Amino acid sequence: MRFILGDLTEAFGAGSFDIVVSNPPYVSPAEYESLDPTVKDYEPGLALVSGEDGLSHIKRIIRDSSRILRKAAGAWSRRDTRNQPASRHFTKRRDSGIFHRLRIFPASRG
């Protein structure tokens, strides 16, 4: 196993991976404020909040996946399934042929 320090996918070259598995931050600041204390008091905001819409990290991972994944690769991610813009974003990318396989795992919400 090798650890690489980088900003999401920027440390990796083209075609570096067959698969991307992620558990990125996926809530908006407003959602963070309303999270159950069992989540909010356990996880730092940096690990949960992703831009104003909760999608900043997810959008970057999807955008960069077409560069870092080998052809016919797959992507797996965890996110809040109640976020409809994220659902549309993932589906659009899957349907465009960027991902051979795409699996989304729902996040439990405290």
Side-chain angles (χ1 to χ4, degrees):
M1 181 178 290
R2 178 172 76 147
F3 292 94
I4 299 171
L5 177 63
D7 184 7
L8 286 178
T9 63
E10 291 178 10
F12 306 111
S16 297
F17 301 102
D18 291 315
I19 185 173
V20 170
V21 177
S22 69
N23 183 15
Y26 55 85
V27 300
S28 70
E31 290 171 319
Y32 179 74
E33 291 305 317
S34 66
L35 286 176
D36 187 279
T38 60
V39 175
K40 189 175 174 184
D41 295 346
Y42 178 72
E43 295 284 347
L46 184 63
L48 298 171
V49 178
S50 181
E52 289 303 310
D53 61 358
L55 298 175
S56 294
H57 289 84
I58 292 170
K59 286 177 181 177
R60 284 183 58 199
I61 291 167
I62 292 171
R63 179 196 69 209
D64 295 351
S65 289
S66 61
R67 178 183 60 81
I68 64 167
L69 287 170
R70 294 183 183 108
K71 197 169 189 158
W76 282 258
S77 184
R78 176 182 175 208
R79 66 171 180 81
D80 184 353
T81 55
R82 295 179 301 171
N83 190 324
Q84 291 306 309
S87 296
R88 286 191 295 276
H89 199 76
F90 271 108
T91 302
K92 183 176 165 184
R93 291 297 187 152
R94 181 196 60 216
D95 294 346
S96 71
I98 288 177
F99 299 118
H100 176 66
R101 289 176 295 246
L102 177 62
R103 177 90 190 262
I104 307 300
F105 295 93
S108 59
R109 304 276 295 212

PDB file of all heavy atoms in Angstrom, residues 48-85:
ATOM      1  N   LEU A  48     -17.515  16.704   6.277  1.00  0.00           N
ATOM      2  CA  LEU A  48     -18.913  16.565   5.864  1.00  0.00           C
ATOM      3  C   LEU A  48     -19.381  17.620   4.873  1.00  0.00           C
ATOM      4  O   LEU A  48     -20.177  17.326   3.992  1.00  0.00           O
ATOM      5  CB  LEU A  48     -19.826  16.600   7.097  1.00  0.00           C
ATOM      6  CG  LEU A  48     -19.625  15.486   8.110  1.00  0.00           C
ATOM      7  CD1 LEU A  48     -20.421  15.776   9.371  1.00  0.00           C
ATOM      8  CD2 LEU A  48     -20.011  14.150   7.517  1.00  0.00           C
ATOM      9  N   VAL A  49     -18.923  18.859   5.018  1.00  0.00           N
ATOM     10  CA  VAL A  49     -19.437  19.974   4.212  1.00  0.00           C
ATOM     11  C   VAL A  49     -18.638  20.119   2.928  1.00  0.00           C
ATOM     12  O   VAL A  49     -17.405  20.125   2.942  1.00  0.00           O
ATOM     13  CB  VAL A  49     -19.406  21.292   5.022  1.00  0.00           C
ATOM     14  CG1 VAL A  49     -19.900  22.455   4.170  1.00  0.00           C
ATOM     15  CG2 VAL A  49     -20.256  21.160   6.281  1.00  0.00           C
ATOM     16  N   SER A  50     -19.364  20.264   1.807  1.00  0.00           N
ATOM     17  CA  SER A  50     -18.735  20.374   0.494  1.00  0.00           C
ATOM     18  C   SER A  50     -19.368  21.507  -0.306  1.00  0.00           C
ATOM     19  O   SER A  50     -20.265  21.288  -1.114  1.00  0.00           O
ATOM     20  CB  SER A  50     -18.872  19.058  -0.264  1.00  0.00           C
ATOM     21  OG  SER A  50     -18.239  19.155  -1.521  1.00  0.00           O
ATOM     22  N   GLY A  51     -18.909  22.702  -0.080  1.00  0.00           N
ATOM     23  CA  GLY A  51     -19.423  23.856  -0.818  1.00  0.00           C
ATOM     24  C   GLY A  51     -20.843  24.202  -0.421  1.00  0.00           C
ATOM     25  O   GLY A  51     -21.447  23.556   0.434  1.00  0.00           O
ATOM     26  N   GLU A  52     -21.394  25.228  -1.040  1.00  0.00           N
ATOM     27  CA  GLU A  52     -22.728  25.713  -0.691  1.00  0.00           C
ATOM     28  C   GLU A  52     -23.840  24.711  -0.986  1.00  0.00           C
ATOM     29  O   GLU A  52     -24.851  24.693  -0.311  1.00  0.00           O
ATOM     30  CB  GLU A  52     -23.024  27.047  -1.394  1.00  0.00           C
ATOM     31  CG  GLU A  52     -22.215  28.204  -0.843  1.00  0.00           C
ATOM     32  CD  GLU A  52     -22.418  28.397   0.660  1.00  0.00           C
ATOM     33  OE1 GLU A  52     -23.574  28.453   1.109  1.00  0.00           O
ATOM     34  OE2 GLU A  52     -21.400  28.485   1.378  1.00  0.00           O
ATOM     35  N   ASP A  53     -23.661  23.873  -1.994  1.00  0.00           N
ATOM     36  CA  ASP A  53     -24.707  22.914  -2.362  1.00  0.00           C
ATOM     37  C   ASP A  53     -24.426  21.487  -1.893  1.00  0.00           C
ATOM     38  O   ASP A  53     -25.206  20.571  -2.134  1.00  0.00           O
ATOM     39  CB  ASP A  53     -24.932  22.915  -3.873  1.00  0.00           C
ATOM     40  CG  ASP A  53     -23.707  22.508  -4.681  1.00  0.00           C
ATOM     41  OD1 ASP A  53     -22.637  22.247  -4.075  1.00  0.00           O
ATOM     42  OD2 ASP A  53     -23.815  22.463  -5.913  1.00  0.00           O
ATOM     43  N   GLY A  54     -23.293  21.269  -1.244  1.00  0.00           N
ATOM     44  CA  GLY A  54     -22.933  19.926  -0.792  1.00  0.00           C
ATOM     45  C   GLY A  54     -22.380  19.035  -1.892  1.00  0.00           C
ATOM     46  O   GLY A  54     -22.187  17.844  -1.690  1.00  0.00           O
ATOM     47  N   LEU A  55     -22.099  19.607  -3.064  1.00  0.00           N
ATOM     48  CA  LEU A  55     -21.683  18.799  -4.219  1.00  0.00           C
ATOM     49  C   LEU A  55     -20.285  19.112  -4.746  1.00  0.00           C
ATOM     50  O   LEU A  55     -19.849  18.490  -5.709  1.00  0.00           O
ATOM     51  CB  LEU A  55     -22.685  19.000  -5.370  1.00  0.00           C
ATOM     52  CG  LEU A  55     -24.113  18.580  -5.115  1.00  0.00           C
ATOM     53  CD1 LEU A  55     -24.992  18.958  -6.296  1.00  0.00           C
ATOM     54  CD2 LEU A  55     -24.183  17.098  -4.848  1.00  0.00           C
ATOM     55  N   SER A  56     -19.585  20.052  -4.157  1.00  0.00           N
ATOM     56  CA  SER A  56     -18.295  20.478  -4.719  1.00  0.00           C
ATOM     57  C   SER A  56     -17.311  19.327  -4.908  1.00  0.00           C
ATOM     58  O   SER A  56     -16.719  19.179  -5.976  1.00  0.00           O
ATOM     59  CB  SER A  56     -17.661  21.553  -3.835  1.00  0.00           C
ATOM     60  OG  SER A  56     -18.433  22.716  -3.857  1.00  0.00           O
ATOM     61  N   HIS A  57     -17.128  18.499  -3.886  1.00  0.00           N
ATOM     62  CA  HIS A  57     -16.180  17.384  -3.990  1.00  0.00           C
ATOM     63  C   HIS A  57     -16.665  16.332  -4.984  1.00  0.00           C
ATOM     64  O   HIS A  57     -15.886  15.812  -5.786  1.00  0.00           O
ATOM     65  CB  HIS A  57     -15.951  16.742  -2.621  1.00  0.00           C
ATOM     66  CG  HIS A  57     -15.162  17.602  -1.691  1.00  0.00           C
ATOM     67  ND1 HIS A  57     -15.731  18.589  -0.928  1.00  0.00           N
ATOM     68  CD2 HIS A  57     -13.842  17.613  -1.420  1.00  0.00           C
ATOM     69  CE1 HIS A  57     -14.790  19.183  -0.213  1.00  0.00           C
ATOM     70  NE2 HIS A  57     -13.630  18.606  -0.487  1.00  0.00           N
ATOM     71  N   ILE A  58     -17.951  16.024  -4.929  1.00  0.00           N
ATOM     72  CA  ILE A  58     -18.514  15.017  -5.836  1.00  0.00           C
ATOM     73  C   ILE A  58     -18.343  15.451  -7.288  1.00  0.00           C
ATOM     74  O   ILE A  58     -17.936  14.656  -8.143  1.00  0.00           O
ATOM     75  CB  ILE A  58     -19.998  14.757  -5.501  1.00  0.00           C
ATOM     76  CG1 ILE A  58     -20.102  14.053  -4.141  1.00  0.00           C
ATOM     77  CG2 ILE A  58     -20.679  13.951  -6.597  1.00  0.00           C
ATOM     78  CD1 ILE A  58     -21.504  13.957  -3.587  1.00  0.00           C
ATOM     79  N   LYS A  59     -18.629  16.701  -7.581  1.00  0.00           N
ATOM     80  CA  LYS A  59     -18.489  17.201  -8.952  1.00  0.00           C
ATOM     81  C   LYS A  59     -17.034  17.106  -9.425  1.00  0.00           C
ATOM     82  O   LYS A  59     -16.777  16.731 -10.569  1.00  0.00           O
ATOM     83  CB  LYS A  59     -18.976  18.635  -9.046  1.00  0.00           C
ATOM     84  CG  LYS A  59     -20.474  18.764  -8.987  1.00  0.00           C
ATOM     85  CD  LYS A  59     -20.889  20.220  -9.015  1.00  0.00           C
ATOM     86  CE  LYS A  59     -22.386  20.379  -8.939  1.00  0.00           C
ATOM     87  NZ  LYS A  59     -22.790  21.798  -8.891  1.00  0.00           N
ATOM     88  N   ARG A  60     -16.091  17.438  -8.555  1.00  0.00           N
ATOM     89  CA  ARG A  60     -14.678  17.348  -8.932  1.00  0.00           C
ATOM     90  C   ARG A  60     -14.259  15.912  -9.183  1.00  0.00           C
ATOM     91  O   ARG A  60     -13.530  15.618 -10.144  1.00  0.00           O
ATOM     92  CB  ARG A  60     -13.799  17.956  -7.847  1.00  0.00           C
ATOM     93  CG  ARG A  60     -13.823  19.472  -7.853  1.00  0.00           C
ATOM     94  CD  ARG A  60     -12.891  20.053  -6.829  1.00  0.00           C
ATOM     95  NE  ARG A  60     -11.514  19.619  -7.042  1.00  0.00           N
ATOM     96  CZ  ARG A  60     -10.583  19.677  -6.093  1.00  0.00           C
ATOM     97  NH1 ARG A  60     -10.868  20.117  -4.890  1.00  0.00           N
ATOM     98  NH2 ARG A  60      -9.353  19.274  -6.347  1.00  0.00           N
ATOM     99  N   ILE A  61     -14.708  15.001  -8.344  1.00  0.00           N
ATOM    100  CA  ILE A  61     -14.349  13.590  -8.518  1.00  0.00           C
ATOM    101  C   ILE A  61     -14.924  13.064  -9.833  1.00  0.00           C
ATOM    102  O   ILE A  61     -14.233  12.388 -10.595  1.00  0.00           O
ATOM    103  CB  ILE A  61     -14.826  12.756  -7.314  1.00  0.00           C
ATOM    104  CG1 ILE A  61     -14.007  13.130  -6.071  1.00  0.00           C
ATOM    105  CG2 ILE A  61     -14.716  11.258  -7.619  1.00  0.00           C
ATOM    106  CD1 ILE A  61     -14.575  12.602  -4.769  1.00  0.00           C
ATOM    107  N   ILE A  62     -16.173  13.392 -10.108  1.00  0.00           N
ATOM    108  CA  ILE A  62     -16.779  12.942 -11.369  1.00  0.00           C
ATOM    109  C   ILE A  62     -16.042  13.544 -12.559  1.00  0.00           C
ATOM    110  O   ILE A  62     -15.695  12.838 -13.508  1.00  0.00           O
ATOM    111  CB  ILE A  62     -18.279  13.304 -11.414  1.00  0.00           C
ATOM    112  CG1 ILE A  62     -19.044  12.478 -10.387  1.00  0.00           C
ATOM    113  CG2 ILE A  62     -18.836  13.090 -12.811  1.00  0.00           C
ATOM    114  CD1 ILE A  62     -20.475  12.909 -10.212  1.00  0.00           C
ATOM    115  N   ARG A  63     -15.792  14.845 -12.508  1.00  0.00           N
ATOM    116  CA  ARG A  63     -15.100  15.512 -13.617  1.00  0.00           C
ATOM    117  C   ARG A  63     -13.738  14.878 -13.866  1.00  0.00           C
ATOM    118  O   ARG A  63     -13.377  14.557 -15.002  1.00  0.00           O
ATOM    119  CB  ARG A  63     -14.938  16.999 -13.291  1.00  0.00           C
ATOM    120  CG  ARG A  63     -14.209  17.779 -14.390  1.00  0.00           C
ATOM    121  CD  ARG A  63     -13.719  19.120 -13.886  1.00  0.00           C
ATOM    122  NE  ARG A  63     -12.634  18.907 -12.928  1.00  0.00           N
ATOM    123  CZ  ARG A  63     -12.368  19.729 -11.924  1.00  0.00           C
ATOM    124  NH1 ARG A  63     -13.108  20.794 -11.711  1.00  0.00           N
ATOM    125  NH2 ARG A  63     -11.369  19.468 -11.100  1.00  0.00           N
ATOM    126  N   ASP A  64     -12.969  14.666 -12.807  1.00  0.00           N
ATOM    127  CA  ASP A  64     -11.605  14.161 -12.956  1.00  0.00           C
ATOM    128  C   ASP A  64     -11.541  12.661 -13.203  1.00  0.00           C
ATOM    129  O   ASP A  64     -10.521  12.158 -13.678  1.00  0.00           O
ATOM    130  CB  ASP A  64     -10.781  14.515 -11.719  1.00  0.00           C
ATOM    131  CG  ASP A  64     -10.591  16.020 -11.558  1.00  0.00           C
ATOM    132  OD1 ASP A  64     -10.944  16.778 -12.487  1.00  0.00           O
ATOM    133  OD2 ASP A  64     -10.105  16.437 -10.491  1.00  0.00           O
ATOM    134  N   SER A  65     -12.613  11.939 -12.897  1.00  0.00           N
ATOM    135  CA  SER A  65     -12.613  10.491 -13.101  1.00  0.00           C
ATOM    136  C   SER A  65     -12.400  10.129 -14.554  1.00  0.00           C
ATOM    137  O   SER A  65     -11.747   9.132 -14.862  1.00  0.00           O
ATOM    138  CB  SER A  65     -13.919   9.877 -12.591  1.00  0.00           C
ATOM    139  OG  SER A  65     -13.960   9.922 -11.197  1.00  0.00           O
ATOM    140  N   SER A  66     -12.920  10.935 -15.463  1.00  0.00           N
ATOM    141  CA  SER A  66     -12.733  10.617 -16.878  1.00  0.00           C
ATOM    142  C   SER A  66     -11.263  10.689 -17.278  1.00  0.00           C
ATOM    143  O   SER A  66     -10.853  10.073 -18.250  1.00  0.00           O
ATOM    144  CB  SER A  66     -13.571  11.551 -17.754  1.00  0.00           C
ATOM    145  OG  SER A  66     -13.179  12.896 -17.572  1.00  0.00           O
ATOM    146  N   ARG A  67     -10.448  11.390 -16.506  1.00  0.00           N
ATOM    147  CA  ARG A  67      -9.015  11.491 -16.773  1.00  0.00           C
ATOM    148  C   ARG A  67      -8.227  10.396 -16.058  1.00  0.00           C
ATOM    149  O   ARG A  67      -7.359   9.753 -16.639  1.00  0.00           O
ATOM    150  CB  ARG A  67      -8.487  12.869 -16.342  1.00  0.00           C
ATOM    151  CG  ARG A  67      -6.984  13.037 -16.544  1.00  0.00           C
ATOM    152  CD  ARG A  67      -6.490  14.393 -16.043  1.00  0.00           C
ATOM    153  NE  ARG A  67      -6.743  14.613 -14.624  1.00  0.00           N
ATOM    154  CZ  ARG A  67      -5.990  14.131 -13.633  1.00  0.00           C
ATOM    155  NH1 ARG A  67      -4.947  13.368 -13.892  1.00  0.00           N
ATOM    156  NH2 ARG A  67      -6.286  14.388 -12.371  1.00  0.00           N
ATOM    157  N   ILE A  68      -8.516  10.163 -14.796  1.00  0.00           N
ATOM    158  CA  ILE A  68      -7.680   9.243 -14.012  1.00  0.00           C
ATOM    159  C   ILE A  68      -8.071   7.776 -14.140  1.00  0.00           C
ATOM    160  O   ILE A  68      -7.293   6.901 -13.810  1.00  0.00           O
ATOM    161  CB  ILE A  68      -7.642   9.644 -12.527  1.00  0.00           C
ATOM    162  CG1 ILE A  68      -9.013   9.526 -11.887  1.00  0.00           C
ATOM    163  CG2 ILE A  68      -7.043  11.022 -12.352  1.00  0.00           C
ATOM    164  CD1 ILE A  68      -8.998   9.606 -10.374  1.00  0.00           C
ATOM    165  N   LEU A  69      -9.292   7.498 -14.618  1.00  0.00           N
ATOM    166  CA  LEU A  69      -9.719   6.111 -14.770  1.00  0.00           C
ATOM    167  C   LEU A  69      -9.317   5.552 -16.120  1.00  0.00           C
ATOM    168  O   LEU A  69      -9.366   6.241 -17.133  1.00  0.00           O
ATOM    169  CB  LEU A  69     -11.240   5.995 -14.632  1.00  0.00           C
ATOM    170  CG  LEU A  69     -11.801   6.153 -13.232  1.00  0.00           C
ATOM    171  CD1 LEU A  69     -13.316   6.258 -13.289  1.00  0.00           C
ATOM    172  CD2 LEU A  69     -11.370   5.013 -12.338  1.00  0.00           C
ATOM    173  N   ARG A  70      -8.932   4.285 -16.123  1.00  0.00           N
ATOM    174  CA  ARG A  70      -8.698   3.589 -17.382  1.00  0.00           C
ATOM    175  C   ARG A  70     -10.039   3.371 -18.072  1.00  0.00           C
ATOM    176  O   ARG A  70     -11.085   3.405 -17.440  1.00  0.00           O
ATOM    177  CB  ARG A  70      -8.008   2.249 -17.115  1.00  0.00           C
ATOM    178  CG  ARG A  70      -6.620   2.416 -16.567  1.00  0.00           C
ATOM    179  CD  ARG A  70      -5.943   1.071 -16.374  1.00  0.00           C
ATOM    180  NE  ARG A  70      -4.634   1.283 -15.777  1.00  0.00           N
ATOM    181  CZ  ARG A  70      -4.322   0.993 -14.519  1.00  0.00           C
ATOM    182  NH1 ARG A  70      -5.215   0.427 -13.728  1.00  0.00           N
ATOM    183  NH2 ARG A  70      -3.126   1.242 -14.057  1.00  0.00           N
ATOM    184  N   LYS A  71     -10.009   3.071 -19.319  1.00  0.00           N
ATOM    185  CA  LYS A  71     -11.234   2.822 -20.082  1.00  0.00           C
ATOM    186  C   LYS A  71     -11.998   1.644 -19.485  1.00  0.00           C
ATOM    187  O   LYS A  71     -11.400   0.679 -19.029  1.00  0.00           O
ATOM    188  CB  LYS A  71     -10.886   2.525 -21.536  1.00  0.00           C
ATOM    189  CG  LYS A  71     -12.050   2.647 -22.462  1.00  0.00           C
ATOM    190  CD  LYS A  71     -11.594   2.608 -23.893  1.00  0.00           C
ATOM    191  CE  LYS A  71     -12.784   2.970 -24.751  1.00  0.00           C
ATOM    192  NZ  LYS A  71     -12.403   3.453 -26.037  1.00  0.00           N
ATOM    193  N   ALA A  72     -13.309   1.709 -19.492  1.00  0.00           N
ATOM    194  CA  ALA A  72     -14.195   0.666 -18.949  1.00  0.00           C
ATOM    195  C   ALA A  72     -13.995   0.484 -17.455  1.00  0.00           C
ATOM    196  O   ALA A  72     -14.073  -0.610 -16.939  1.00  0.00           O
ATOM    197  CB  ALA A  72     -14.021  -0.658 -19.690  1.00  0.00           C
ATOM    198  N   ALA A  73     -13.710   1.569 -16.761  1.00  0.00           N
ATOM    199  CA  ALA A  73     -13.500   1.515 -15.315  1.00  0.00           C
ATOM    200  C   ALA A  73     -14.818   1.722 -14.579  1.00  0.00           C
ATOM    201  O   ALA A  73     -15.854   1.965 -15.170  1.00  0.00           O
ATOM    202  CB  ALA A  73     -12.487   2.580 -14.914  1.00  0.00           C
ATOM    203  N   GLY A  74     -14.738   1.637 -13.275  1.00  0.00           N
ATOM    204  CA  GLY A  74     -15.926   1.817 -12.451  1.00  0.00           C
ATOM    205  C   GLY A  74     -15.700   2.854 -11.376  1.00  0.00           C
ATOM    206  O   GLY A  74     -14.578   3.222 -11.067  1.00  0.00           O
ATOM    207  N   ALA A  75     -16.798   3.317 -10.813  1.00  0.00           N
ATOM    208  CA  ALA A  75     -16.722   4.278  -9.717  1.00  0.00           C
ATOM    209  C   ALA A  75     -17.786   3.930  -8.698  1.00  0.00           C
ATOM    210  O   ALA A  75     -18.907   3.561  -9.048  1.00  0.00           O
ATOM    211  CB  ALA A  75     -16.933   5.696 -10.236  1.00  0.00           C
ATOM    212  N   TRP A  76     -17.419   4.015  -7.443  1.00  0.00           N
ATOM    213  CA  TRP A  76     -18.335   3.770  -6.339  1.00  0.00           C
ATOM    214  C   TRP A  76     -18.226   4.959  -5.403  1.00  0.00           C
ATOM    215  O   TRP A  76     -17.129   5.413  -5.102  1.00  0.00           O
ATOM    216  CB  TRP A  76     -17.945   2.506  -5.582  1.00  0.00           C
ATOM    217  CG  TRP A  76     -18.343   1.253  -6.257  1.00  0.00           C
ATOM    218  CD1 TRP A  76     -19.408   0.465  -5.951  1.00  0.00           C
ATOM    219  CD2 TRP A  76     -17.700   0.615  -7.355  1.00  0.00           C
ATOM    220  NE1 TRP A  76     -19.456  -0.617  -6.787  1.00  0.00           N
ATOM    221  CE2 TRP A  76     -18.414  -0.550  -7.668  1.00  0.00           C
ATOM    222  CE3 TRP A  76     -16.585   0.924  -8.131  1.00  0.00           C
ATOM    223  CZ2 TRP A  76     -18.065  -1.403  -8.692  1.00  0.00           C
ATOM    224  CZ3 TRP A  76     -16.236   0.071  -9.157  1.00  0.00           C
ATOM    225  CH2 TRP A  76     -16.964  -1.074  -9.430  1.00  0.00           C
ATOM    226  N   SER A  77     -19.350   5.438  -4.924  1.00  0.00           N
ATOM    227  CA  SER A  77     -19.319   6.587  -4.029  1.00  0.00           C
ATOM    228  C   SER A  77     -20.441   6.496  -3.015  1.00  0.00           C
ATOM    229  O   SER A  77     -21.483   5.897  -3.262  1.00  0.00           O
ATOM    230  CB  SER A  77     -19.450   7.891  -4.817  1.00  0.00           C
ATOM    231  OG  SER A  77     -19.337   9.001  -3.955  1.00  0.00           O
ATOM    232  N   ARG A  78     -20.210   7.135  -1.883  1.00  0.00           N
ATOM    233  CA  ARG A  78     -21.227   7.246  -0.853  1.00  0.00           C
ATOM    234  C   ARG A  78     -21.712   8.683  -0.864  1.00  0.00           C
ATOM    235  O   ARG A  78     -20.929   9.620  -0.936  1.00  0.00           O
ATOM    236  CB  ARG A  78     -20.605   6.926   0.503  1.00  0.00           C
ATOM    237  CG  ARG A  78     -21.569   7.102   1.634  1.00  0.00           C
ATOM    238  CD  ARG A  78     -20.863   6.809   2.931  1.00  0.00           C
ATOM    239  NE  ARG A  78     -21.763   7.087   4.026  1.00  0.00           N
ATOM    240  CZ  ARG A  78     -21.371   7.447   5.209  1.00  0.00           C
ATOM    241  NH1 ARG A  78     -20.086   7.574   5.479  1.00  0.00           N
ATOM    242  NH2 ARG A  78     -22.240   7.681   6.159  1.00  0.00           N
ATOM    243  N   ARG A  79     -23.028   8.878  -0.818  1.00  0.00           N
ATOM    244  CA  ARG A  79     -23.571  10.229  -0.779  1.00  0.00           C
ATOM    245  C   ARG A  79     -24.992  10.191  -0.241  1.00  0.00           C
ATOM    246  O   ARG A  79     -25.590   9.132  -0.117  1.00  0.00           O
ATOM    247  CB  ARG A  79     -23.543  10.881  -2.144  1.00  0.00           C
ATOM    248  CG  ARG A  79     -24.464  10.190  -3.120  1.00  0.00           C
ATOM    249  CD  ARG A  79     -24.593  10.965  -4.396  1.00  0.00           C
ATOM    250  NE  ARG A  79     -25.489  10.247  -5.258  1.00  0.00           N
ATOM    251  CZ  ARG A  79     -26.806  10.289  -5.172  1.00  0.00           C
ATOM    252  NH1 ARG A  79     -27.387  11.024  -4.268  1.00  0.00           N
ATOM    253  NH2 ARG A  79     -27.560   9.585  -5.973  1.00  0.00           N
ATOM    254  N   ASP A  80     -25.519  11.355   0.037  1.00  0.00           N
ATOM    255  CA  ASP A  80     -26.877  11.492   0.546  1.00  0.00           C
ATOM    256  C   ASP A  80     -27.840  11.337  -0.631  1.00  0.00           C
ATOM    257  O   ASP A  80     -27.865  12.168  -1.525  1.00  0.00           O
ATOM    258  CB  ASP A  80     -27.044  12.855   1.203  1.00  0.00           C
ATOM    259  CG  ASP A  80     -28.404  13.028   1.836  1.00  0.00           C
ATOM    260  OD1 ASP A  80     -29.272  12.158   1.657  1.00  0.00           O
ATOM    261  OD2 ASP A  80     -28.591  14.039   2.526  1.00  0.00           O
ATOM    262  N   THR A  81     -28.622  10.282  -0.644  1.00  0.00           N
ATOM    263  CA  THR A  81     -29.513  10.011  -1.771  1.00  0.00           C
ATOM    264  C   THR A  81     -30.675  10.994  -1.854  1.00  0.00           C
ATOM    265  O   THR A  81     -31.383  11.024  -2.844  1.00  0.00           O
ATOM    266  CB  THR A  81     -30.078   8.575  -1.703  1.00  0.00           C
ATOM    267  OG1 THR A  81     -30.712   8.404  -0.432  1.00  0.00           O
ATOM    268  CG2 THR A  81     -28.974   7.564  -1.883  1.00  0.00           C
ATOM    269  N   ARG A  82     -30.869  11.817  -0.827  1.00  0.00           N
ATOM    270  CA  ARG A  82     -31.929  12.828  -0.896  1.00  0.00           C
ATOM    271  C   ARG A  82     -31.513  14.021  -1.737  1.00  0.00           C
ATOM    272  O   ARG A  82     -32.328  14.856  -2.077  1.00  0.00           O
ATOM    273  CB  ARG A  82     -32.298  13.303   0.513  1.00  0.00           C
ATOM    274  CG  ARG A  82     -32.903  12.195   1.353  1.00  0.00           C
ATOM    275  CD  ARG A  82     -33.236  12.679   2.720  1.00  0.00           C
ATOM    276  NE  ARG A  82     -32.023  13.174   3.378  1.00  0.00           N
ATOM    277  CZ  ARG A  82     -32.021  13.823   4.527  1.00  0.00           C
ATOM    278  NH1 ARG A  82     -33.142  14.071   5.153  1.00  0.00           N
ATOM    279  NH2 ARG A  82     -30.896  14.231   5.064  1.00  0.00           N
ATOM    280  N   ASN A  83     -30.250  14.112  -2.104  1.00  0.00           N
ATOM    281  CA  ASN A  83     -29.758  15.247  -2.876  1.00  0.00           C
ATOM    282  C   ASN A  83     -30.017  14.986  -4.360  1.00  0.00           C
ATOM    283  O   ASN A  83     -29.232  14.341  -5.039  1.00  0.00           O
ATOM    284  CB  ASN A  83     -28.267  15.459  -2.597  1.00  0.00           C
ATOM    285  CG  ASN A  83     -27.770  16.751  -3.164  1.00  0.00           C
ATOM    286  OD1 ASN A  83     -28.199  17.180  -4.222  1.00  0.00           O
ATOM    287  ND2 ASN A  83     -26.843  17.373  -2.463  1.00  0.00           N
ATOM    288  N   GLN A  84     -31.121  15.481  -4.873  1.00  0.00           N
ATOM    289  CA  GLN A  84     -31.511  15.217  -6.254  1.00  0.00           C
ATOM    290  C   GLN A  84     -30.549  15.782  -7.293  1.00  0.00           C
ATOM    291  O   GLN A  84     -30.295  15.129  -8.298  1.00  0.00           O
ATOM    292  CB  GLN A  84     -32.939  15.722  -6.503  1.00  0.00           C
ATOM    293  CG  GLN A  84     -33.996  14.911  -5.763  1.00  0.00           C
ATOM    294  CD  GLN A  84     -33.900  13.433  -6.056  1.00  0.00           C
ATOM    295  OE1 GLN A  84     -33.855  13.011  -7.206  1.00  0.00           O
ATOM    296  NE2 GLN A  84     -33.805  12.621  -5.008  1.00  0.00           N
ATOM    297  N   PRO A  85     -29.969  17.002  -7.109  1.00  0.00           N
ATOM    298  CA  PRO A  85     -28.982  17.454  -8.095  1.00  0.00           C
ATOM    299  C   PRO A  85     -27.807  16.492  -8.226  1.00  0.00           C
ATOM    300  O   PRO A  85     -27.307  16.254  -9.318  1.00  0.00           O
ATOM    301  CB  PRO A  85     -28.533  18.815  -7.554  1.00  0.00           C
ATOM    302  CG  PRO A  85     -29.700  19.302  -6.763  1.00  0.00           C
ATOM    303  CD  PRO A  85     -30.278  18.045  -6.137  1.00  0.00           C
TER     304      PRO A  85
END
